[in-house]
Structures are given as C-alpha cells and as structure tokens.
Amino acid sequence: MAGTLTLRVITPTRIVLDEPVESVRIPVLDGSLGVLPRHAPMVAALGAGLLHYKSNGVEKVLFVSEGFADVRDNVMRVVTEACEPSTDIDEKRARAAEARARERLAQRGKGMTGEQAIDALRAEAALRRALMRLKVFEYGSRERVRT
Ligand code: ATP
C-alpha cells in the first residue's frame, strides 16, 4: 500500500473536498490522468468530465467542469468552475441544458461568422457539461441501488 495523497477540490464558491485519498483520476483535455501518492510535481488542464478517487478503499465520482489541476508535495489541487457529487446533480436541469445545447448546435450552418463559431464552441462545451453531469448522476443512481 503506497499510502495516501491529499485531494483538494476547489470551486469559486467552496472547497468541495479536502481529504487523504489513495488514488485520483482526473479528466484532461485528451483523456484522463491517474495520480497516485508521491506523484512527481505536475500541472494539467482539466476538461469537463468525471473525477474518480478512492477513499478508504471506496471508489467515488464527482463531476468537474473546466479548470486545472496541480500536484506538489503529495497534494493534488483541482481548481474548477463547478463541481458536484451525484447527489447534488439536478437531473432535470442537466437534461434541459443538454436540449438547449443540442438545439443551438442544430442551427449551426456553413459559412458561420466568427461570433457564430464562438457560440457553437460554447454550445459544444455546454453539451459536454450536461452529458457528463448526467453520467455522474446515473453512476450515483446505480450506486444507490446497489447499497
Ligand atoms: P446551466 O445551463 O443549467 O446553468 P451550465 O453547464 O451552464 O448549466 P455551470 O456554468 O457549469 O452550468 O455551473 C453554474 C452553477 O450551477 C455551478 O454552481 C454548478 O454547480 C451549478 N449547476 C449547473 N448545472 C447543474 C445541475 N444539473 N445540477 C446541479 N448544479 C448545477
């Protein structure tokens, strides 16, 4: 057993988590990145997705939005726009956000202006957040059924 590292998850409004954990997997722009205790110092850009961590032998999942992570002195800091455990996710709201984003993307046409292209990128990011929230929500529902 390699011990623990401290996982600190921070949003603009609160500290979501600050505790020793056995392992962490964060969503990055091109996949995911696993971190174990005594990891070398690093920084990474966070993509919206699922943050998995193991605490006292139990696997847990959080939704995290865009942001960054760093590791130093056996502390991993995850600084993100928004973060929710499955129990805090409002499924209806996420489904509505998904529908809105899909509607905006469906209106995308050829020969977009710069502004329209930026709107489309925003809609893609909003769609990703909504889908990832729904994934975490479903993950939590499965866990609740099992326990
Ligand atoms: P929406 O369009 O529904 O606001 P969004 O993806 O634009 O979704 P964010 O900018 O990621 O929302 O988050 C804004 C705030 O709302 C954050 O505090 C976040 O925790 C909260 N939030 C967003 N969607 C949900 C949700 N489905 N359930 C619970 N909290 C949410």
Side-chain angles (χ1 to χ4, degrees), residues 4-99:
T4 60
L5 75 157
T6 299
L7 174 61
R8 200 167 285 155
V9 182
I10 304 156
T11 72
T13 53
R14 66 187 183 122
I15 297 171
V16 180
L17 200 79
D18 189 359
E19 64 177 55
V21 301
E22 290 106 63
S23 62
V24 187
R25 178 161 290 276
I26 55 164
V28 290
L29 298 181
D30 54 355
S32 68
L33 181 78
V35 171
L36 292 170
R38 296 199 294 274
H39 196 284
M42 63 136 216
V43 290
L46 213 60
L50 277 63
L51 182 155
H52 296 260
Y53 65 99
K54 196 189 261 190
S55 171
N56 292 317
V58 180
E59 286 280 353
K60 299 190 177 173
V61 176
L62 297 171
F63 164 80
V64 288
S65 187
E66 294 85 356
F68 74 91
D70 68 11
V71 178
R72 188 160 49 99
D73 297 336
N74 216 32
V75 176
M76 176 167 214
R77 269 187 328 148
V78 174
V79 180
T80 176
E81 287 286 332
C83 171
E84 300 110 39
S86 68
T87 46
D88 284 0
I89 291 177
D90 178 340
E91 184 192 10
K92 253 191 179 168
R93 178 174 170 176
R95 291 208 185 279
E98 177 190 357

Side-chain angles (χ1 to χ4, degrees), residues 124-135:
E124 274 173 16
L127 178 60
R128 181 169 179 85
R129 289 196 299 278
L131 293 176
M132 293 299 117
R133 281 189 168 108
L134 290 168
K135 209 166 169 181

